[in-house]
Each structure stands twice: as structure tokens, then as C-alpha cells.
Amino acid sequence: MSRRFTHAADDYERMIADIARQMGFEVETIDGEVFFVISAFSPSGEEVFSKVNITRFADAMERALS
């Protein structure tokens, strides 16, 4: 993904990643995009992982606030 709004979006991305880490979430970088990982258990007891794309959210914040 090409980032059009790099400066502020990068700041938002760092801020969100820092908050996620402080809240105890695992933060990963995959192919240049940053995610935090949520783990939960399904009704059958199986552990399920979801990845939330921080990079995409930060880009959307920048567009909305500019």
C-alpha cells in the first residue's frame, strides 16, 4: 500500500502501536504494515487470533482529520 499521508499517519501509527503495547497486545510488522494481535477463545474452546491493521487505521485517521 502506498502511503499518501505519511508524516501524520506515521505519528498516529506509532501512537496506536505504543498504546496497544501498553495495553498488553502483541504488535507485529508484516510487509511494512503494523498490526496488533487479539487472541480469544471460540465457544468450542479453540484459541482464535485476529490481527488489527494499525497502518490502515492510521491512514484513515489522517484522511479524516486533514
Side-chain angles (χ1 to χ4, degrees), residues 6 9 19 23 27 29 31 39 45 53:
T6 56
I19 292 169
M23 301 285 296
V27 176
T29 302
D31 295 329
S39 63
N53 190 324

Side-chain angles (χ1 to χ4, degrees), residues 43-59:
S44 65
E46 183 179 355
E47 190 169 19
V48 178
F49 296 96
S50 298
K51 293 181 180 171
V52 178
N53 190 324
I54 295 172
T55 302
R56 192 171 290 169
F57 185 75
D59 287 340

Side-chain angles (χ1 to χ4, degrees), residues 13 17 20-21 25-38 49-55:
E13 184 180 77
R21 284 187 195 96
F25 291 102
E26 180 181 338
V27 176
E28 300 178 354
T29 302
I30 301 169
D31 295 329
E33 296 197 350
V34 182
F35 297 83
F36 69 89
V37 181
I38 299 172
F49 296 96
S50 298
K51 293 181 180 171
V52 178
N53 190 324
I54 295 172
T55 302

